[in-house]
Amino acid sequence: MRKNIVAGNWKMNKNLQEGIALAEELNEALAEKTINCDVVICTPYIHLAPVCATIDTDLIGVGAENCADHESGAFTGEISASMVASTGAQYVILGHSERRAYYGETNATLKTKTGLALKNNLTPIFCVGEVLAERENGTYFDIVKTQLSEALFELSAEDFSKIVIAYEPVWAIGTGKTASPAQAQEIHEFIRKTIADKYGKEVADNTSILYGGSCNASNAKELFANPDVDGGLIGGAALKVETFMPIIEAF
Ligand code: 13P
């Protein structure tokens, strides 16, 4: 059966020393408790190797926030999936709305990145989600379906089974506006049905679908109580142990 996962996305926050300190503090907090979900932190690239060396990676999974759309070569400033994997990281966020909006990432680019991540044994945390206008005009089902089908639906069922999906409505990211538990359940159920239509019920039932967008200690429990919400991808609240732990403990 699918896993419950709470993943932090640090985005472009924390210098190296601050990042290592946060990871160590989280490691200590988790070591003292019984936790009922998998915990992952996705950090800036430079943090990956030292964080993996510092923490217990059986307790906390580590991931990058992106990877390149090429295997290697003359792509100045880029970091490949194989480089990410060589740090000890096991995950990579792909298709975050900030990457789509500010760096022009398309479903076609993301298809390439997903293939490279899988080839290097990384678990993609693949983000989908609509902007406010698409929520308001009711096209959000089609938007999310297109994001999934154009980037992922040429994968084999075996490869698709390795992917974690994160539904992140753009209007809820960093805004303090959260999808209501009913709104989250509606679209998560739709995502699972879309996966079932393509890959069958067993693959769909085994896919973890996380919610992201202003998820915090006060709304996590209600969101995670939905049958199709299998955890969260957390931005701001993942930057402090005091705000991240209660979300983890919502399971
Ligand atoms: P916030 O939790 O800060 O809204 O960010 C969500 C997000 O973008 C996680 O990837």
Side-chain angles (χ1 to χ4, degrees), residues 48 90 154 158 236:
L48 294 172
Q90 310 104 313
E154 280 176 37
E158 191 191 342

Side-chain angles (χ1 to χ4, degrees), residues 9 11 96 98 168 172-175 212-215 233-236:
N9 173 9
K11 308 194 179 183
H96 193 281
E98 288 150 18
E168 297 208 303
I173 296 177
T175 58
S214 298
C215 186
L233 182 56
I234 318 300

